[in-house]
Amino acid sequence: MRITGTQYSIEKKPKVLELRKAGQVIETYEFLGKTVNDLTDEIWESLRRKGVTVNKELLLEDMFKMFPGVRRYGPIK
């Protein structure tokens, strides 16, 4: 899934999310046991360190599309 407004995309694997740019894996994030809000913050800060400006709310919406039915502060299973 492409991150809105950037060159980056996120791909969901069984236990991790992969942040990709031009098809190459830049970073991975484990998501089991974390909340969607925490995971969004982690990805947002990583993109910010790379110099990418992303609206956190749009990123959060993208995360909810990847994990349908998950509450914002409930753990991802």
Side-chain angles (χ1 to χ4, degrees):
M1 163 182 275
R2 188 157 176 96
I3 298 176
T4 307
T6 68
Q7 300 174 5
Y8 292 86
S9 64
I10 295 179
E11 189 171 319
K12 184 178 174 183
K13 298 290 181 178
K15 294 184 179 182
V16 297
L17 291 179
E18 294 179 343
L19 180 65
R20 294 175 172 257
K21 181 178 180 183
Q24 295 183 344
V25 177
I26 306 296
E27 276 189 62
T28 59
Y29 307 94
E30 291 187 28
F31 60 81
L32 292 178
K34 292 184 180 177
T35 65
V36 174
N37 199 47
D38 291 341
L39 188 60
T40 301
D41 288 343
E42 193 175 330
I43 294 170
W44 182 78
E45 287 182 20
S46 173
L47 288 170
R48 195 181 71 168
R49 282 192 302 269
K50 291 173 181 11
V52 179
T53 304
V54 179
N55 184 324
K56 196 182 273 190
E57 290 301 314
L58 290 177
L59 185 59
L60 185 63
E61 287 178 21
D62 289 343
M63 290 290 108
F64 280 124
K65 290 177 188 173
M66 293 191 86
F67 301 103
V70 174
R71 294 173 302 179
R72 184 173 188 158
Y73 297 104
I76 299 171
K77 297 179 182 175

